[in-house]
Amino acid sequence: MIITSLIVAATLLVGGTLIATFWNETISWLKRSIQKVQEWIQRTIYGTKLFLRKMGNGFQETSKHYVKDHNDRWNETVTTREVSADQVPPEIRQMAQMGVDRDITNELAAKLHT
């Protein structure tokens, strides 16, 4: 457990500088999209998931926001944007597969908590 924690911490530290620009842009975009979604639906967002998908020479980043309406029904709002390959760090690029969504929510959470 401790060894795993140390390995994860070292990996995050080394990869942090490579990922910083990508995450900063992603976080900024995610905050803007959350704000727009909240303005649009005027409800509290209960959760957000972030996905990355390889598309040709670039990537598509997708965020999914989950809210409850006044009847306690769940709603999902999806926003996407195109990201060029040079904006995505190599470790994150390796996670993405052609045409398949890859959940990078945990990686974003780890970056936000460091």
Side-chain angles (χ1 to χ4, degrees):
M1 180 79 171
I2 293 173
I3 293 174
T4 303
S5 297
L6 291 174
I7 291 171
V8 169
T11 302
L12 289 173
L13 184 62
V14 171
T17 54
L18 298 174
I19 298 174
T21 302
F22 174 72
W23 284 125
N24 289 339
E25 288 181 24
T26 298
I27 291 166
S28 175
W29 171 74
L30 193 55
K31 285 179 182 176
R32 286 191 315 272
S33 66
I34 288 171
Q35 181 182 6
K36 292 294 183 188
V37 169
Q38 281 179 325
E39 289 172 7
W40 181 66
I41 59 176
Q42 297 180 348
R43 302 265 183 246
T44 301
I45 295 180
Y46 289 96
T48 299
K49 290 293 242 174
L50 189 63
F51 299 90
L52 189 68
R53 174 190 299 191
K54 182 155 177 52
M55 304 290 289
N57 293 330
F59 294 87
Q60 181 181 56
E61 191 174 69
T62 303
S63 69
K64 296 182 179 185
H65 311 281
Y66 303 95
V67 299
K68 278 188 179 181
D69 65 14
H70 59 280
N71 293 325
D72 275 346
R73 289 181 301 208
W74 285 99
N75 293 294
E76 176 185 60
T77 304
V78 179
T79 54
T80 61
R81 74 175 180 147
E82 299 298 320
V83 181
S84 66
D86 62 339
Q87 292 177 301
V88 180
E91 316 68 72
I92 304 299
R93 263 187 259 147
Q94 291 173 355
M95 291 182 199
Q97 296 177 9
M98 185 65 77
V100 177
D101 281 342
R102 167 67 166 103
D103 186 353
I104 58 172
T105 306
N106 292 336
E107 288 80 2
L108 175 64
K111 181 61 180 169
L112 290 174
H113 295 297
T114 57

